[in-house]
Amino acid sequence: MSHQLFESPKDFLAAGPLSKEFVDLKRDIQVSGDAIISHLPPRLAKWDHSIQDASYLDSLVINNEVNFLTEVRYSRYGKMALITNEDVVSKIHIEIISKILMGNGFRYISESELGEPFRRRDRMNGDWFHLYFDYV
């Protein structure tokens, strides 16, 4: 993956939460997430709209196993989205999710392209994942 994508991504909150671009992004997040929910087994997907102090705006929980919380995270930057802990998600579900995201104008980024898996808590602050898809 080219890191050019991360050089100066648009911050959709820069113009404020009432700006048209931010309202449009939130609508696109809801539409794509609802489509993901409708294409996955019912027990898997649910919204988590309680994101605060993060570089991402919304998350869709797609698996909540004992050891790993797997989510689709929507960054506030560059209309990017990824799946956390994607190595424990079936390839079929990743294909479904990535196709829906891209069909709704999101740049799907494989977590593996950003470095280490999300579940490592000793990640280096300032890595690509932390900057665009994690709590700050």
Side-chain angles (χ1 to χ4, degrees):
M1 176 183 76
S2 166
H3 288 128
Q4 183 179 7
L5 172 65
F6 300 115
E7 287 177 4
S8 59
K10 179 178 187 162
D11 179 354
F12 281 87
L13 262 175
L18 299 179
S19 69
K20 179 177 177 2
E21 63 185 14
F22 183 73
V23 170
D24 290 348
L25 177 64
K26 289 294 281 181
R27 180 202 62 230
D28 292 346
I29 289 171
Q30 189 72 44
V31 167
S32 69
D34 288 346
I36 291 168
I37 289 171
S38 72
H39 284 85
L40 295 181
R43 62 176 178 75
L44 287 183
K46 66 177 182 172
W47 280 107
D48 177 6
H49 293 299
S50 63
I51 310 306
Q52 297 177 18
D53 301 323
S55 56
Y56 66 106
L57 296 171
D58 240 329
S59 70
L60 181 66
V61 177
I62 57 172
N63 189 7
N64 194 4
E65 292 185 13
V66 174
N67 295 322
F68 308 117
L69 174 64
T70 306
E71 303 172 305
V72 175
R73 287 193 176 178
Y74 295 89
S75 181
R76 70 182 264 182
Y77 302 97
K79 208 164 181 189
M80 297 182 283
L82 64 62
I83 301 171
T84 62
N85 298 313
E86 71 180 358
D87 58 322
V88 299
V89 179
S90 76
K91 290 187 187 291
I92 293 169
H93 288 153
I94 289 174
E95 288 175 17
I96 291 169
I97 293 167
S98 63
K99 184 177 179 180
I100 291 170
L101 289 170
M102 290 186 289
N104 283 280
F106 289 93
R107 293 183 175 116
Y108 171 71
I109 299 170
S110 172
E111 183 186 41
S112 64
E113 294 177 283
L114 296 176
E116 303 168 27
F118 165 71
R119 61 184 164 270
R120 290 241 357 241
R121 287 301 182 197
D122 59 346
R123 298 178 65 88
M124 180 178 194
N125 283 342
D127 66 4
W128 297 116
F129 180 89
H130 181 78
L131 288 173
Y132 298 111
F133 297 100
D134 206 358
Y135 287 94
V136 291

